[in-house]
Amino acid sequence: MDIIVMIKQVPDTTDIEIDPKTGNLIRSGIEGIINPYDLNAIEASLEIKERIGGSVTVISMGPPQAIDAITEAIGMGVDRGILLTDRAFAGADTLATSFTLGKAVEKLGSYDLILCGYQAIDGDTAQVGPQLAEYLNIPQITSVTKIEKVTENSIIAIRSVEDGYERVFSQLPALLTVKRELNRPRFVRVDRLLSACEEKAPIDIWNAADIGVKAFQVGMRGSMTEVIDVFTPKFKRKGKILKGSSKDVVDKLLSELKENNLI
Amino acid sequence: MAEHYRVREDEIFFILNEELDYGSLCKYKRYEELSPETLDMLVREAIRFAKGVLEPLHHEGERHGVIFENGSVHLTPGFRDAFKKMGENGWIAVSRDTTYGGMGFPQMMRIVINEYLYGSCLCMNFLSSLTHGAGHLIESFADENLKKIFFPNMYSGRWSGTIALTEPNAGSSLANIKTKAKREGNHFKISGIKQFITYAEHDLTENIIHLLLARIEGAPSGTKGISLFIVPKIWVNEDGTLGEPNDIICAGVEKKMGLHAAPTCLMSFGENNQCKAYLCGQENRGLPHMFQMMNEARVNIGVCSMSIASSAYLNALEYCKTRIQGFDIARRYKEEVPIIYHPDIRRMLLWMKAVTEGLRSLIYTTAYYMDIALEDPDESKRRHYKLLLDFLTPIIKGYGADLCFRVCETAIQCLGGYGYCKDYPLEQYMRDSKIFSIFEGTNGIQALDLLGRKMRIDSGKAYRAFFKEIDLFLKENGHNKNFINEIAIFKDAIKELKRTSDIMIERMDVDPLQSASYSFPLLECYGDIVLSWRLLNMAIISDNLLSKMSDRSGRKAYLYKGKIFQARYFIDVFLPQTIARLKSCIRDGREIAEIPDESF
C-alpha cells in the first residue's frame, strides 16, 4: 500500500508569548515543529505500513527550513519526503495550498491512501484536507478517531461528529483527516534521524516548475481569499447593576439572560 | 502534577551555539558525516523524547516505588516499556561507536542529552546510564567475542547493566574488596556480597549484566589485586545463547530517603558456588579499568545535579511569577503583586539562575573538551584538554552535587509552605538529589582527589593546564571595558586561588592532616571560581551580541541581558567571599586536626 502523508511545519505555540504592548504573538525565535495533528497522520501511516506493507511518503509545502519537518518524519520511519518550496507558493490560502499539494500528488503518480492532520494549529481552518480530496476527486473521511480496518482496496474508519461517531466505509484511494485521539505518535529513532540528515537522504525538493504550475495559479496570486488583518480580540467586561426588589431583580436577570441567548 | 520538568531550549542552545560553537566538532574526521543541524535536531528530539516518554514516569515511579518479594524486585510497570523505547530509539548509546551498535555522535552529546533524560525521570535514566557504563567497559576492555555477544543486547535495551563495586566493608575504600574469583576453564566462579548496587535486580529486562570487581585467588592484596568481571544474571553462552539462571540472589533492597523508584540492592553472588563470570580486560587491572567508568559517572552526577537544579529553579520561577501575595515594598503598584516583585525573592531567583546556568556552561564546556581530547589531530591539544577534563571532573561532581541540593532548598523557600508539600515537585527533587554528594565517591573524596591527586600527579600537569586555560581566557577578555569591575575581582580570585593552592600542595607533603582539613573548602572555592569563569564568558559573549541588536526588547535580548546581570551579581557578591574563604584554607589554626576525639 502506497501512503502519502501531508505535513506542515508550524510555530511551536506552546512556546509563543504575547507582546504585552501590541497584543500580537511574538514569533521571532520560535522553533518550527510538525503540526501535532500531522504527527498522528504519520503514526497512522506507519502502523498501516507495518501491518500490510508498502511505503510512506510525506509531502510538505513551506519555506526551505520546513525540510526539518521532513527530516523528523523520516526519523520516525517514513520512507521518503518531498518539500514543495518556491517563492511563488508564498501567501497561499487553503485553496491554493490544496491545489499545489494536489499537483504534487499527481506528479507522484499512484497512491492508495492520503492522510492529513485534521487541521493545522496555526490556521485552524481544517480545509486543506477536504479541498485536496475534492481536487483529486477521491472519497474523503474527515475527523477520523479510529481506523478499524484497512485492506488493499478499502478502509473502514470511525469519524467524530457533533453528537457522536460515524462508522464509514470507503473504497481506496481515499483521503482521511485525522484527530489527536487516533493514536500516540511514536518518537524519532536516532539511527533513522542520522540517515535523514545525510546528503543522500531520500528527500526531494520540488519547485513550481517541477509540479507543472504557473505562478499565477499558486501562492497569493492563486488564492481566492486574502487575510486583511490579524489581531487579538479585545474583551471588555460590561457591568450592569440590577435594582429593585428581589423578585424584580430576578425577573430582570432572567429576561436579560434570555435576551442575550445565555439561557 | 504530571508535568514537573522544566527546561529552556534557548538557554541550552545559547551555550551550545553561541558559547561553544559545538557544531565545530563535526570538523573532526570521526564526526565528518554529521552536521551542526543534525546535532541541533538530536538535542530537540531528546527533549521531546524525555518530556513525552520519561516525564510521566517521575511521579508514577515515586508512587509505585520498589516492591521486593521472594528475592524478586518489581518496578513501576511503565518503566519496562520506556527502557525498551530508550534502547530501540537509540538513546542509550548515542555516543558509542557505530561498529558496536552505537549512534556515533560526539561524546559531548551523551552528556547534553542526559540533562533532559535525567531531568524528566532521574530514576529511569539511571538504568540507561548504568547500562551505557557497563557496556562501555565491555567495549573498552573485553575481548572481541564478548563484545559481539553483549553490545547489541545492552545498547538496544534488551539487557541492562550494573556496576557492582561496593561491599559491606568496602565503600569508599575499594582496596578492601573481598569478593573472590576462581578460575574454572574458560571462565571464573564468583563468591561474595555486594551492597548498594543500583538496579542489580528488577523485572524490566530479559537479562542483567553485572560488571563486578573481585579478587582472583592468589592475587596481590590491596588495589593492585582487583579484576573486573562480567557476571550475567542469566548465563550467556559463548555463542550468545542464554543458559541457566546464574547463582545470584537479591537479598534485599534499601529503604531510602529518595530515588524511590530505583532499586538499591544487596546482592549475594555464588552462595551455591555456581556463579559464573567472564573476565573483562586484564587480570588485576580491574580498578584502573573501572575508573574509566567512574570518571564518566562523576561527570554524569554533575549532569544530574545541573538538570534537577535547573528544573527546580524554573519551577520556582513560574510560581513566583504567578503567586500574588503582599504589596510592593516601594509602593509602585496599588494592588498586591506577584511575589517575584519582592526583593528577597528576586535575590533567591537570581542566585539560582546564576548557579544553574553557570553549572550548565561548565559541564557542557567540559563535555566539549572530551571530544577535543579524543579527536583533535594536534597531540599537544589533545593532551591539554584531557588534563583539563581530569582536573575539572571532581569539581563538577563535588561542587555540582552540593549546589543542586542548595538550589532545591532555595526553590522550596521561594514557594514557602507549598514548597514543603508534595503538590509541587521540589521536595522530591531535594530528597532525590541528596545522594549526589554521596555516591560515585563522596564529595569529601572528590576534594581529596582534587588536592591529593589532580593538583599533584605528573608534577602538577593538570593543575598547570587549568591555570593555562584561565590565563588564555584573561588574555582574550581581560581588557573588556564593559566588565572592568568583574574582571578585576576575577583576577584577584585567580591570584588568591593559585597562592592558596601552591601552599596546600606543599603542605600535603609536610603536613597532610592540616592540608586535608581544608580540602573540601578548597574544592568549593574552585567551584565558585570556575563558575565565575563560565558566567563571565557568557556575559561577555552576550554583551557583544546585544551590541549588534537593533531591537533590544525581544526574547533574545532578554536572554542576553540575563547573562550579564547574573554574572555581575555572582562575581560582585560571591567572589569576594570566596577570596576570604581561600585565605582561611591556609590559616595556621589546627582545630580540625587537633581537637581530641573525646571532646566532640
Side-chain angles (χ1 to χ4, degrees):
Chain A
M1 168 157 305
D2 294 326
I3 307 171
I4 299 172
V5 185
M6 299 297 170
I7 65 172
K8 183 181 184 186
Q9 193 182 47
V10 294
D12 186 353
T13 49
T14 56
D15 205 22
I16 280 187
E17 288 178 7
I18 306 280
D19 185 326
K21 287 176 194 152
T22 63
N24 291 332
L25 299 179
I26 304 170
R27 287 179 184 246
S28 68
I30 301 298
E31 283 305 323
I33 57 167
I34 297 181
N35 176 42
Y37 290 93
D38 301 347
L39 289 172
N40 298 90
I42 294 171
E43 177 61 34
S45 71
L46 295 173
E47 286 174 9
I48 294 169
K49 180 190 157 187
E50 282 159 5
R51 269 207 312 275
I52 60 177
S55 70
V56 178
T57 301
V58 292
I59 300 180
S60 184
M61 186 181 98
Q65 60 266 31
I67 203 163
D68 287 350
I70 292 177
T71 307
E72 190 179 328
I74 294 176
M76 287 172 76
V78 311
D79 302 290
R80 180 188 177 192
I82 297 164
L83 175 65
L84 306 175
T85 189
D86 196 309
R87 289 176 73 92
F89 297 154
D93 69 359
T94 58
L95 192 68
T97 302
S98 55
F99 170 74
T100 311
L101 295 175
K103 284 289 180 188
V105 173
E106 284 173 350
K107 180 179 162 77
L108 258 180
S110 70
Y111 61 91
D112 301 295
L113 182 63
I114 298 177
L115 296 172
C116 306
Y118 165 70
Q119 64 182 10
I121 57 168
D122 59 348
D124 277 3
T125 66
Q127 291 170 355
V128 171
Q131 286 173 345
L132 177 59
E134 284 297 313
Y135 175 80
L136 295 169
N137 198 23
I138 56 172
Q140 58 180 296
I141 311 175
T142 55
S143 307
V144 169
T145 55
K146 189 178 178 186
I147 294 173
E148 214 172 81
K149 190 176 177 188
V150 188
T151 68
E152 289 293 335
N153 46 30
S154 70
I155 189 163
I156 299 174
I158 308 288
R159 65 186 294 262
S160 67
V161 290
E162 256 183 21
D163 52 354
Y165 294 92
E166 285 178 357
R167 189 162 172 263
V168 183
F169 169 89
S170 173
Q171 295 286 352
L172 296 182
L175 181 146
L176 270 56
T177 69
V178 305
K179 290 197 136 181
R180 306 299 306 274
E181 304 94 294
L182 179 64
N183 52 38
R184 280 189 70 186
R186 68 193 61 192
F187 291 90
V188 160
R189 253 176 52 173
V190 178
D191 56 344
R192 287 183 180 144
L193 185 70
L194 273 171
S195 313
C197 292
E198 285 175 359
E199 264 183 47
K200 57 185 181 197
I203 301 175
D204 294 315
I205 297 174
W206 292 351
N207 60 21
D210 291 325
I211 56 170
V213 295
K214 305 279 183 222
F216 69 84
Q217 294 176 291
V218 293
M220 197 178 282
R221 289 174 67 193
S223 296
M224 305 294 280
T225 57
E226 186 188 346
V227 178
I228 300 166
D229 190 15
V230 177
F231 59 92
T232 310
K234 288 189 172 57
F235 293 106
K236 208 172 175 186
R237 284 187 179 181
K238 262 200 312 194
K240 190 168 188 181
I241 296 170
L242 303 175
K243 291 183 178 166
S245 69
S246 298
K247 188 174 179 313
D248 289 346
V249 169
V250 170
D251 287 344
K252 279 181 196 165
L253 177 64
L254 285 172
S255 77
E256 291 248 356
L257 289 172
K258 276 178 193 161
E259 269 172 34
N260 287 290
N261 293 322
L262 293 170
I263 57 171
Chain B
M1 212 207 2
E3 288 187 16
H4 70 95
Y5 178 54
R6 291 175 190 273
V7 58
R8 276 188 57 172
E9 280 189 33
D10 56 351
E11 295 286 359
I12 283 159
F13 282 112
F14 172 84
I15 297 174
L16 293 176
N17 288 319
E18 255 82 61
E19 192 180 15
L20 296 173
D21 184 21
Y22 79 143
S24 64
L25 291 176
C26 300
K27 74 182 180 218
Y28 291 132
K29 192 164 172 43
R30 186 184 172 94
Y31 308 129
E32 64 189 0
E33 288 185 7
L34 299 170
S35 67
E37 293 76 22
T38 315
L39 302 188
D40 284 355
M41 205 168 272
L42 186 82
V43 171
R44 291 203 184 91
E45 288 302 329
I47 293 174
R48 209 163 83 81
F49 181 85
K51 296 277 291 175
V53 176
L54 302 189
E55 187 181 25
L57 298 172
H58 175 77
H59 295 294
E60 208 179 313
E62 177 74 4
R63 245 191 335 266
H64 184 279
V66 169
I67 298 168
F68 179 61
E69 274 174 352
N70 304 322
S72 296
V73 173
H74 305 286
L75 300 183
T76 315
F79 275 30
R80 192 182 178 89
D81 186 46
F83 188 65
K84 192 164 165 256
K85 279 200 182 113
M86 286 182 98
E88 285 173 354
N89 290 13
W91 295 112
I92 295 176
V94 158
S95 297
R96 298 268 54 82
D97 200 311
T98 48
T99 322
Y100 299 113
M103 297 294 138
F105 277 91
Q107 305 299 318
M108 176 187 188
M109 299 312 293
R110 189 177 60 81
I111 302 289
V112 171
I113 67 160
N114 260 345
E115 173 177 350
Y116 327 124
L117 302 179
Y118 277 127
S120 301
C121 186
L122 205 52
C123 287
M124 181 77 255
N125 200 47
F126 275 129
L127 183 61
S128 162
S129 281
L130 284 163
T131 304
H132 171 270
H136 193 194
L137 281 174
I138 297 173
E139 183 182 324
S140 304
F141 305 112
D143 64 40
E144 277 305 314
N145 190 42
L146 292 176
K147 288 180 192 177
K148 282 182 197 150
I149 296 171
F150 286 96
F151 287 143
N153 291 306
M154 293 177 79
Y155 289 163
S156 66
R158 278 181 66 202
W159 300 350
S160 60
T162 77
I163 306 294
L165 311 180
T166 306
E167 296 178 8
N169 288 312
S172 294
S173 177
L174 292 172
N176 299 340
I177 278 177
K178 289 202 166 45
T179 297
K180 287 180 195 152
K182 188 178 174 186
R183 187 183 295 279
E184 201 170 283
N186 287 340
H187 54 265
F188 287 78
K189 283 212 170 150
I190 303 289
S191 60
I193 303 281
K194 292 284 176 183
Q195 192 181 21
F196 296 146
I197 312 303
T198 309
Y199 277 105
E201 174 57 27
H202 57 78
D203 56 357
L204 306 184
T205 53
E206 185 182 274
N207 206 354
I208 301 170
I209 312 302
H210 305 280
L211 269 285
L212 172 144
L213 288 182
R215 205 177 284 284
I216 297 173
E217 273 188 334
S221 60
T223 55
K224 288 184 177 158
I226 295 171
S227 302
L228 180 63
F229 295 90
I230 303 168
V231 192
K233 176 183 171 183
I234 313 282
W235 182 246
V236 182
N237 296 312
E238 285 176 30
D239 61 0
T241 56
L242 289 184
E244 294 290 310
N246 214 345
D247 180 14
I248 304 172
I249 293 167
C250 176
V253 294
E254 306 294 338
K255 290 185 169 56
K256 300 169 299 192
M257 172 180 177
L259 299 182
H260 289 154
T264 304
C265 308
L266 178 66
M267 303 298 292
S268 173
F269 293 85
E271 277 196 8
N272 302 304
N273 201 28
Q274 292 299 321
C275 179
K276 294 197 284 185
Y278 291 110
L279 179 68
C280 183
Q282 295 173 41
E283 285 185 24
N284 301 330
R285 295 280 300 158
L287 217 49
H289 289 349
M290 190 57 94
F291 261 91
Q292 171 199 275
M293 186 283 304
M294 191 62 94
N295 285 329
E296 286 174 9
R298 287 176 176 173
V299 175
N300 248 343
I301 297 307
V303 180
C304 297
S305 304
M306 173 259 288
S307 179
I308 297 298
S310 174
S311 187
Y313 156 62
L314 292 173
N315 271 285
L317 176 64
E318 182 61 25
Y319 181 89
C320 295
K321 280 177 170 176
T322 50
R323 171 74 167 165
I324 295 172
Q325 195 93 159
F327 289 92
D328 182 64
I329 198 165
R331 298 287 162 191
R332 291 170 295 177
Y333 310 94
K334 284 181 184 164
E335 309 283 329
E336 284 194 281
V337 292
I339 60 173
I340 195 172
Y341 285 53
H342 301 319
D344 194 53
I345 295 285
R346 297 174 80 80
R347 173 188 64 80
M348 291 190 279
L349 289 173
L350 185 51
W351 176 77
M352 289 193 285
K353 174 176 161 58
V355 297
T356 54
E357 288 173 24
L359 194 57
R360 179 179 289 118
S361 169
L362 173 62
I363 291 172
Y364 282 15
T365 304
T366 308
Y368 183 71
Y369 292 164
M370 278 182 192
D371 285 293
I372 303 177
L374 285 169
E375 306 302 333
D376 201 274
D378 179 348
E379 199 201 331
S380 63
K381 203 170 167 187
R382 284 204 306 275
R383 214 171 30 242
H384 173 71
Y385 284 101
K386 172 73 173 71
L387 289 168
L388 263 181
L389 173 62
D390 289 347
F391 193 80
L392 292 171
T393 297
I395 301 170
I396 286 172
K397 195 278 178 188
Y399 184 72
D402 279 349
L403 263 191
C404 175
F405 193 74
R406 284 167 55 204
V407 168
C408 291
E409 176 242 332
T410 307
I412 289 174
Q413 191 68 23
C414 288
L415 269 70
Y418 285 115
Y420 195 65
C421 298
K422 286 183 185 288
D423 299 342
Y424 291 87
L426 302 174
E427 62 83 32
Q428 187 187 335
Y429 282 174
M430 193 166 127
R431 285 187 287 103
D432 284 351
S433 62
K434 183 54 219 156
I435 193 67
F436 300 161
S437 66
I438 300 168
F439 63 10
E440 309 300 358
T442 64
N443 281 4
I445 286 185
Q446 302 308 311
L448 277 180
D449 181 43
L450 180 67
L451 174 62
R453 291 186 68 245
K454 303 289 165 63
M455 287 165 69
R456 292 166 8 121
I457 50 168
D458 288 340
S459 317
K461 275 185 187 162
Y463 174 61
R464 286 200 300 277
F466 169 73
F467 281 98
K468 186 178 163 191
E469 192 69 18
I470 297 290
D471 283 348
L472 195 67
F473 169 75
L474 283 172
K475 206 170 162 187
E476 283 173 11
N477 300 289
H479 303 291
N480 189 306
K481 290 194 172 71
N482 293 342
F483 296 91
I484 292 171
N485 184 39
E486 289 73 22
I487 289 167
I489 299 171
F490 183 71
K491 280 181 177 170
D492 284 349
I494 288 293
K495 199 172 150 194
E496 194 57 40
L497 182 70
K498 182 82 172 62
R499 186 178 84 91
T500 305
S501 299
D502 285 343
I503 292 170
M504 288 182 74
I505 289 168
E506 206 180 306
R507 269 194 190 167
M508 273 305 271
D509 290 326
V510 294
D511 190 0
L513 270 183
Q514 180 68 357
S515 193
S517 298
Y518 291 91
S519 59
F520 187 71
L522 180 71
L523 179 138
E524 287 184 309
C525 294
Y526 266 96
D528 287 347
I529 289 166
V530 292
L531 209 72
S532 302
W533 165 40
R534 300 322 303 164
L535 288 172
L536 196 49
N537 191 48
M538 288 192 285
I540 291 169
I541 291 167
S542 296
D543 185 54
N544 189 30
L545 290 167
L546 208 51
S547 70
K548 293 175 187 158
M549 293 177 87
S550 51
D551 173 16
R552 297 191 184 182
S553 59
R555 291 160 67 106
K556 280 228 157 174
Y558 285 118
L559 179 91
Y560 300 150
K561 285 176 190 172
K563 304 286 176 205
I564 296 168
F565 275 98
Q566 70 189 19
R568 289 199 200 287
Y569 176 68
F570 191 86
I571 293 170
D572 288 3
V573 172
F574 293 98
L575 266 199
Q577 297 175 31
T578 307
I579 294 169
R581 203 140 40 100
L582 278 167
K583 288 177 180 153
S584 75
C585 290
I586 45 173
R587 61 193 282 272
D588 292 330
R590 299 181 58 81
E591 301 82 2
I592 296 174
E594 292 183 0
I595 179 175
D597 296 354
E598 295 78 3
S599 301
F600 275 109

